[in-house]
Amino acid sequence: MAEAERIIGTPDTPDAAGGGKERPDAEGTPAGEPGTDPAAGAGTSGTGEPEATAGRPRGRRRIGVLFAVAAFAYALDLISKLIVVAELEHHPPIEIIGDWLKFEAIRNAGAAFGFGEAFTVIFTMIAAAVIVVIARLARKLYSLPWAIALGLLLGGALGNLTDRIFRAPGVFEGAVVDFIAPKHFAVFNLADSAIVCGGILIVLLSFRGLDPDGTVHKD
């Protein structure tokens, strides 16, 4: 989250390394090689390097990709939960791979994978905060991998937040529908899977130094 806030606070169009101002010489022309056409310097920063290397993102924004991935993840989660509630709830589990993988309908009042059932309202607030942060970050999103990762996070957060709001026992206290039950592991759903996959991808991108605006930094 700190990485996202750092990018949110970065200016859209950073100034050149020299402060973003040119000093005119005695004749009123920019300092530099005499007779140089100002148009010839277009597309370069004050350091003489291309703008892309000076930190300005290239390409187009990936907001459409973010929301497309989020909509896909959310739709899969919502449809799967509707089927589970209609066909599996109050029925014996369905064995998919023997005892190793089953489909079993369970209502979970806690966080992902059944943790923290006493903090349902807090987890609801965290999910809402994640959605707000992603929405703020979208205006500076130029990286395709980041768009996919944030889309998975957004779709998963919306999927579980829908359960928190609309399912029993009440608004913001609803129990999430889980149904994927591996052997010796917690029961989870597709929204949990999307959140975990998005989180892993964000960690990998951060290790590579790739920022959401498409630039690469080195610590």
Side-chain angles (χ1 to χ4, degrees):
M1 194 70 70
E3 179 74 14
E5 291 294 340
R6 184 182 70 79
I7 300 303
I8 291 172
T10 302
D12 284 323
T13 55
D15 291 336
K21 296 182 180 180
E22 296 178 333
R23 292 181 301 173
D25 58 17
E27 280 100 31
T29 58
E33 184 180 350
T36 301
D37 185 356
T44 61
S45 66
T47 60
E49 297 178 353
E51 288 177 351
T53 60
R56 180 175 296 180
R58 295 184 300 177
R60 60 182 180 179
R61 292 182 181 177
R62 301 295 183 174
I63 299 177
V65 175
L66 184 154
F67 287 113
V69 172
F72 181 74
Y74 177 74
L76 282 182
D77 180 67
L78 181 61
I79 293 172
S80 66
K81 288 174 179 176
L82 291 175
I83 295 174
V84 166
V85 171
E87 303 294 336
L88 282 182
E89 203 163 37
H90 309 302
H91 290 80
I94 298 177
E95 293 186 352
I96 305 302
I97 308 178
D99 291 336
W100 291 97
L101 180 62
K102 298 179 181 180
F103 285 169
E104 181 180 6
I106 293 179
R107 298 295 182 110
N108 170 27
F113 307 110
F115 298 114
E117 294 187 1
F119 303 98
T120 305
V121 176
I122 295 177
F123 292 132
T124 302
M125 296 174 62
I126 292 175
V130 169
I131 294 172
V132 172
V133 170
I134 294 175
R136 290 184 58 195
L137 189 58
R139 64 191 177 91
K140 294 181 180 293
L141 187 62
Y142 289 85
S143 168
L144 180 60
W146 269 94
I148 295 173
L150 293 177
L152 289 172
L153 281 181
L154 180 59
L158 285 172
N160 284 338
L161 184 61
T162 300
D163 283 358
R164 303 288 188 199
I165 296 175
F166 295 105
R167 296 194 186 276
V171 177
F172 301 124
E173 296 181 352
V176 174
V177 175
D178 291 335
F179 63 94
I180 304 174
K183 187 176 183 180
H184 304 310
F185 196 73
V187 183
F188 59 96
N189 56 42
L190 294 182
D192 297 332
S193 301
I195 292 172
V196 171
C197 290
I200 292 174
L201 183 54
I202 287 176
V203 171
L204 294 176
L205 293 173
S206 298
F207 272 118
R208 291 186 59 189
L210 180 62
D211 289 335
D213 65 356
T215 59
V216 178
H217 72 273
K218 294 183 180 180
D219 295 331

